[in-house]
């Protein structure tokens, strides 16, 4: 008896039929928008705590913003399992960084670059990590904020948003963002964006966290809910004067 | 993960109709979506057919609006010819006629509810395909999936008007918590021998469910109110 084994550790989904069954075809549990801005002392990042399973709001306590090393904050939208895998890669990266024990530590620029390479290389193998990542941080007094998409598109900016945030939050940020925002003004600006997302994004839930990173370090707020407004006269009886159904 | 503003307007929806001793209570959420975008966060999905008969609409917004309009038109003529208010059963069967004969083209599930002097309060469910089913209570729309267990446990015969309305509001609110396609405010319409009452329950006035938190004005209020460090590392 001769046995054949086909090695699939190359993970090259396009050429190898068996590796094919391993590639991500579509996401299952997904997180929605991340919105982040640079402000006076560093970077602020907001996200809700939802994990949707198609149209079901299945998980309501998912933390989609995590601290990386001492100087960075990573927020992710898209497939949660892929985000968890990325956190494992970064754990390894930070561990190796610490093992050098040379007084140096990875800054946000380096982490962003690493993530860009990971995402782009996976895209080239037709087996993407189905996420849009936001990387923010402060090192040696300099603030950094960047984004990487699942196809490897990578850039830096003063304010970024993923998913629906691109369409609903960025116009607000373009209008109202300033370089010298205080913490209070920054939080209020992010809350304004998150409230609009809550009204208009089907996969948003009313439970969010705002994370802050400064030279001192990272703080992630406790989960909280935003008040919403429904008392427009027009909402009370929209069909009162209707000729028919609308 | 894109907006897809060209997707047909659909009322993901949660719709409910419940009978009680004296009439019916109809309830619905208020979210209309185009793909993943919420096109209208305060829609009115409970539409009048006659003075005493209303219909809850779900599925395609366009299909349900046009079907309601045709049936309202037919019922108007029917009322004139009959010389008295149309019955709930006739209203339901007119909807069925359209839903069944156009089953290949329509994508709308409806719940007809009303009161007439012959049968009192009645609810008729008309799902996709055009089946008519008279029921003591009916649920429909994408959010209804989350309510089958709830109603199996919570439904009782011969509730009072207040009990029935509270049940409907609670149910729509539970569905909104889990169905991404439902949201906004809860609207109810109560129909009995005395007439019709419309009610409005805004999103922030509804009961909080599992893992939901009390709404705040801002994180800044929480930070300023608490004593020791409220932010965890």
């Amino acid at each position: 008896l001769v046995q054949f084994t086909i090695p699939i550790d190359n993970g090259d989904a396009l050429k190898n039929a068996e590796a094919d069954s391993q590639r991500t075809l579509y996401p299952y549990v997904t997180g929605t928008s991340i919105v982040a801005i640079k402000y006076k002392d560093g970077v602020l990042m907001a996200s809700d705590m939802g994990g949707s399973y198609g149209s079901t709001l299945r998980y309501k306590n998912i933390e989609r913003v995590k601290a990386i090393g001492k100087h960075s904050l990573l927020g992710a939208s898209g497939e949660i399992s892929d985000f968890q895998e990325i956190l494992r890669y970064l754990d390894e990266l930070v561990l190796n960084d610490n093992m050098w024990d040379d007084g140096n530590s990875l800054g946000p620029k380096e982490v962003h670059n690493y993530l860009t390479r990971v995402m782009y290389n996976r895209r080239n193998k037709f087996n993407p990590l189905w996420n849009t990542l936001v990387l923010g941080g402060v090192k040696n007094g300099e603030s950094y904020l960047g984004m990487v998409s699942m196809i490897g598109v990578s850039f830096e900016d003063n304010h970024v948003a993923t998913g629906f945030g691109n369409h609903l939050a960025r116009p607000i940020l373009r209008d109202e963002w300033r370089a010298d925002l205080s913490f209070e003004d920054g939080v209020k600006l992010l809350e304004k964006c998150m409230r609009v997302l809550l009204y208009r994004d089907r996969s948003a839930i009313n439970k969010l966290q705002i994370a802050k990173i400064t030279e001192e370090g990272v703080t992630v707020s406790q989960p909280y809910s935003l008040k919403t407004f429904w008392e427009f006269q027009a909402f009370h009886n929209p069909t009162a004067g209707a000729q028919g159904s609308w | 993960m894109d907006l897809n503003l060209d997707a047909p307007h659909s009322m993901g929806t949660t719709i409910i109709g419940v009978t009680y001793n004296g009439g019916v209570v109809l309830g619905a959420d208020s979210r209309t979506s185009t793909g993943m975008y919420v096109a209208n966060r305060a829609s009115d999905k409970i539409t009048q057919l006659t003075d005493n008969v209303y219909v809850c609409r779900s599925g395609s917004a366009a299909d349900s609006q046009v079907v309601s309009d045709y049936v309202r038109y037919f019922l108007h003529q029917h009322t004139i010819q009959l010389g008295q208010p149309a019955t709930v059963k006739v209203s339901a069967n007119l909807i069925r006629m359209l839903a069944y004969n156009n089953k290949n083209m329509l994508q709308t599930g409806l719940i007809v509810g009303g009161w007439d002097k012959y049968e009192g309060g009645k609810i008729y469910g008309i799902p996709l395909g055009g089946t008519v089913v008279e029921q003591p209570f009916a649920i429909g729309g994408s959010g209804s999936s989350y309510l089958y267990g709830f109603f199996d446990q919570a439904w009782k015969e011969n509730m009072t008007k207040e009990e029935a309305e509270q049940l409907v509001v609670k149910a729509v609110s539970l569905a909104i918590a889990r169905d991404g396609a439902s949201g906004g405010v809860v609207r109810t319409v109560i129909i009995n021998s005395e007439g019709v009452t419309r009610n409005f329950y805004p999103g922030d006035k509804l009961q909080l469910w599992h893992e939901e938190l009390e709404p705040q004005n801002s994180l800044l209020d929480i930070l300023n109110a608490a004593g020791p460090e409220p932010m965890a590392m």
Side-chain angles (χ1 to χ4, degrees):
Chain A
L1 274 170
V2 185
Q3 268 190 316
F4 288 101
T5 47
I6 303 169
I8 56 168
D9 61 332
N10 59 348
D12 196 348
L14 201 58
K15 292 199 295 189
N16 189 328
E18 249 157 272
D20 210 47
S21 64
Q22 298 278 357
R23 57 180 240 231
T24 309
L25 296 168
Y26 32 74
Y28 289 97
V29 181
T30 55
T32 185
S33 324
I34 305 272
V35 188
I37 54 174
K38 280 192 195 173
Y39 79 109
K40 187 160 55 84
D41 306 326
V43 173
L44 284 169
M45 200 180 291
S47 83
D48 74 8
M49 300 190 75
S52 297
Y53 188 69
S55 66
T56 305
L57 306 169
R58 191 163 181 185
Y59 302 105
K60 297 192 177 185
N61 212 200
I62 308 241
E63 286 191 27
R64 299 193 292 114
V65 180
K66 292 283 189 181
I68 310 291
K70 283 177 277 186
H71 303 286
S72 312
L73 210 53
L74 175 66
S77 63
E79 171 65 51
I80 300 297
S81 66
D82 284 348
F83 175 50
Q84 291 174 341
E85 187 76 350
I86 289 169
L87 290 174
R88 284 170 161 268
Y89 289 154
L90 289 173
D91 255 351
E92 178 115 16
L93 194 71
V94 169
L95 184 70
N96 287 320
D97 188 38
N98 288 339
M99 287 201 300
W100 283 101
D101 200 21
D102 58 2
N104 284 318
S105 54
L106 286 169
K109 219 180 186 97
E110 289 84 58
V111 179
H112 187 214
N113 181 254
Y114 172 76
L115 290 171
T116 305
R117 292 297 104 224
V118 169
M119 300 300 271
Y120 183 61
N121 273 283
R122 289 288 297 256
R123 168 262 192 195
N124 285 340
K125 293 193 284 197
F126 281 89
N127 186 197
L129 289 158
W130 209 285
N131 297 109
T132 308
L133 304 170
V134 175
L135 202 291
V138 184
K139 196 175 176 201
N140 298 331
E142 275 189 52
S143 304
Y144 185 91
L145 182 59
M147 213 172 106
V148 198
S149 76
M150 69 187 253
I151 56 171
V153 174
S154 171
F155 58 89
E156 281 174 63
D157 208 342
N158 292 320
H159 44 80
V160 296
T162 69
F164 257 67
N166 272 307
H167 304 274
L168 299 174
R170 285 175 82 192
I172 299 174
L173 296 172
R174 279 188 208 120
D175 216 24
E176 298 187 23
W177 181 86
R178 295 173 339 262
D180 57 350
L181 280 168
S182 66
F183 172 70
E184 284 74 25
D185 286 340
V187 168
K188 284 196 206 135
L189 183 56
L190 284 177
E191 285 178 341
K192 186 172 185 178
C193 295
M194 296 305 281
R195 192 175 281 108
V196 172
L197 289 167
L198 191 54
Y199 287 145
R200 296 293 175 174
D201 177 5
R202 260 171 54 160
S203 39
I205 65 162
N206 194 358
K207 197 180 193 190
L208 55 144
Q209 286 182 307
I210 298 194
K212 167 176 77 123
I213 183 163
T214 61
E215 192 69 54
E216 278 86 65
V218 173
T219 9
V220 183
S221 77
Q222 66 178 241
Y224 73 104
S225 268
L226 281 173
K227 284 196 183 155
T228 52
F229 188 71
W230 302 91
E231 300 296 339
F232 291 109
Q233 263 312 305
F235 286 4
H236 277 259
N237 240 323
T239 48
Q243 289 280 349
S245 305
W246 70 93
Chain B
M1 231 213 295
D2 202 27
L3 271 166
N4 192 15
L5 291 166
D6 295 323
H9 276 54
S10 125
M11 292 169 301
T13 313
T14 309
I15 49 172
I16 302 179
V18 146
T19 56
Y20 71 93
N21 69 349
V24 298
V25 179
L26 299 177
D29 75 307
S30 70
R31 178 170 284 187
T32 305
S33 17
T34 336
M36 289 300 273
Y37 178 65
V38 178
N40 189 347
R41 64 177 171 111
S43 349
D44 185 4
K45 304 180 189 181
I46 310 176
T47 302
Q48 184 180 31
L49 294 178
T50 68
D51 288 340
N52 55 318
V53 182
Y54 280 65
V55 62
C56 295
R57 303 181 289 112
S58 79
S60 158
D63 288 351
S64 65
Q65 280 172 358
V66 135
V67 166
S68 314
D69 284 351
Y70 269 115
V71 172
R72 186 180 310 109
Y73 169 63
F74 296 144
L75 281 172
H76 186 210
Q77 298 190 312
H78 172 66
T79 308
I80 292 168
Q81 289 184 324
L82 200 62
Q84 58 184 34
T87 59
V88 190
K89 184 182 269 186
V90 166
S91 313
N93 279 105
L94 283 170
I95 298 225
R96 185 213 88 95
M97 189 186 73
L98 287 174
Y100 180 74
N101 290 322
N102 296 291
K103 62 162 72 189
N104 294 328
M105 290 185 287
L106 292 174
Q107 208 181 69
T108 171
L110 303 155
I111 297 178
V112 180
W115 184 96
D116 59 52
K117 67 183 188 201
Y118 299 103
E119 304 256 29
K122 282 289 180 199
I123 294 285
Y124 291 88
I126 306 167
L128 261 48
T131 314
V132 194
V133 152
E134 202 249 293
Q135 299 171 299
F137 73 90
I139 56 177
S142 57
S144 67
S145 309
Y146 307 94
L147 297 176
Y148 283 92
F150 174 70
F151 270 92
D152 282 347
Q153 189 233 34
W155 160 259
K156 299 184 319 296
E157 289 258 32
N158 283 123
M159 288 185 286
T160 65
K161 181 172 69 151
E162 287 72 29
E163 282 175 331
E165 202 197 11
Q166 269 170 38
L167 183 67
V168 167
V169 173
K170 190 175 186 179
V172 177
S173 166
L174 281 167
I176 286 175
R178 289 296 183 175
D179 180 26
S182 302
V185 305
V186 181
R187 297 195 195 273
T188 62
V189 172
I190 308 174
I191 313 171
N192 51 36
S193 57
E194 278 144 46
V196 177
T197 319
R198 265 192 177 283
N199 287 320
F200 168 87
Y201 298 89
D204 52 340
K205 298 284 194 312
L206 301 168
Q207 186 181 346
L208 288 173
W209 304 115
H210 181 49
E211 288 188 312
E212 289 185 345
L213 300 170
E214 196 64 56
Q216 310 282 344
N217 278 317
S218 167
L219 177 66
L220 300 170
D221 294 343
I222 305 173
L223 294 174
N224 293 332
E229 280 295 284
M231 282 206 184
M233 267 293 246

